[in-house]
Amino acid sequence: MKAVNILLLCSTISRITPTVLSSDLRATIGTYPDYDGDLVVSGDVEITFDEYAMSFLFNGEGLEASCGPGCGVHIHTGTTCSDADLVGGHYWAPAGTEDPWMNDVTYYDSDYFGNAIGQFSIENGYLMEGNVGHAVVVHDSEGVRVGCGTLKSGNMKTKSKGAKKGIKSKKRNYNVLNAVIGTYPDYDGDLVVSGD
C-alpha cells in the first residue's frame, strides 16, 4: 500500500508547474490574534512593486471552505499581529480618498478544502518602503479577521564575519522563493497533500 501512495504522490507532484516568485515584501500568515473560531489559518503573501503599483499574491490554507468571491486579504494600518487592538483598518493614502481595498479585486477564492490562491494588482498610495512592517489581514466571507502576518523585506541579507580583524565582510543577497503545495485539482484519493 505504501508503494502505491508514494507512486501516486510522485505522479501528482510531477504535474505541478513551479512558479518563481521574486518579491520585494513578504508576510507569513498565521491565525489572527484573539480569533476564537474553528479555522487554523496559515499561508504567505508575496508583493512586488513598480513604484506605487503592487502585484499581490496570497497563498493560504486552513481557510473557510469554498470561500469567495468576497473573502478579502488587505494591508492594514497596524504593524503587529500580536494584539488585535493594534492591527487597525485598511491602509492607504492619501486620507479622505476612496479605500482601494474595498473593490472587486482584493479577494481570494478557496477550494472545498480551504486552500486558496489570490492574485491581484492594486495601488494603496505608498511605495514599497511605506508598506514595510504593516499587517496583512485575511478575512472570511463574513469579514471576520481570521489570519494575519506582517510585511518584511523579501530579500534575505547575510554578512559573514571575518576570522581576523581587518578582513572585510562579504554581503550576499538571496532571493526568497516560496511554494505552497496542496492537493492536485480533481484528485479524489485518500491522501491529503500540503506543505511549503
Side-chain angles (χ1 to χ4, degrees):
M1 186 65 160
K2 288 184 181 179
V4 173
N5 287 344
I6 291 170
L7 179 59
L8 180 58
L9 181 59
C10 290
S11 173
T12 301
I13 290 174
S14 69
R15 294 184 199 167
I16 296 171
T17 303
T19 302
V20 176
L21 302 174
S22 174
S23 65
D24 294 306
L25 294 181
R26 173 181 184 187
T28 300
I29 303 296
T31 302
Y32 191 83
D34 299 336
Y35 171 72
D36 61 0
D38 296 332
L39 301 175
V40 181
V41 176
S42 64
D44 58 76
V45 170
E46 303 269 349
I47 304 175
T48 57
F49 286 83
D50 182 7
E51 296 285 326
Y52 292 95
M54 65 174 86
S55 296
F56 198 106
L57 176 64
F58 166 65
N59 289 294
E61 57 187 45
L63 300 159
E64 178 181 351
S66 304
C67 188
C71 299
V73 56
H74 316 109
I75 299 176
H76 281 236
T77 58
T79 56
T80 183
C81 286
S82 61
D83 185 340
D85 294 333
L86 300 177
V87 176
H90 295 166
Y91 182 59
W92 82 95
T97 61
E98 189 174 332
D99 182 351
W101 299 105
M102 297 299 293
N103 60 43
D104 293 335
V105 298
T106 60
Y107 297 95
Y108 66 89
D109 295 324
S110 64
D111 64 16
Y112 175 79
F113 300 104
N115 299 315
I117 295 177
Q119 187 170 4
F120 54 86
S121 296
I122 188 171
E123 291 186 20
N124 70 348
Y126 293 99
L127 297 169
M128 181 190 77
E129 296 79 14
N131 288 280
V132 172
H134 283 271
V136 175
V137 175
V138 180
H139 301 268
D140 69 7
S141 62
E142 300 295 319
V144 174
R145 298 174 180 195
V146 298
C148 190
T150 55
L151 291 168
K152 297 179 179 7
S153 175
N155 288 331
M156 298 171 60
K157 296 182 180 179
T158 61
K159 256 189 202 180
S160 61
K161 295 180 180 179
K164 296 181 181 176
K165 193 173 184 178
I167 296 177
K168 290 185 177 181
S169 297
K170 293 181 182 179
K171 290 184 182 179
R172 293 188 179 142
N173 291 325
Y174 300 95
N175 284 329
V176 176
L177 301 179
N178 191 35
V180 175
I181 307 295
T183 306
Y184 189 77
D186 299 327
Y187 169 70
D188 61 357
D190 295 331
L191 295 176
V192 177
V193 180
S194 67
D196 295 332

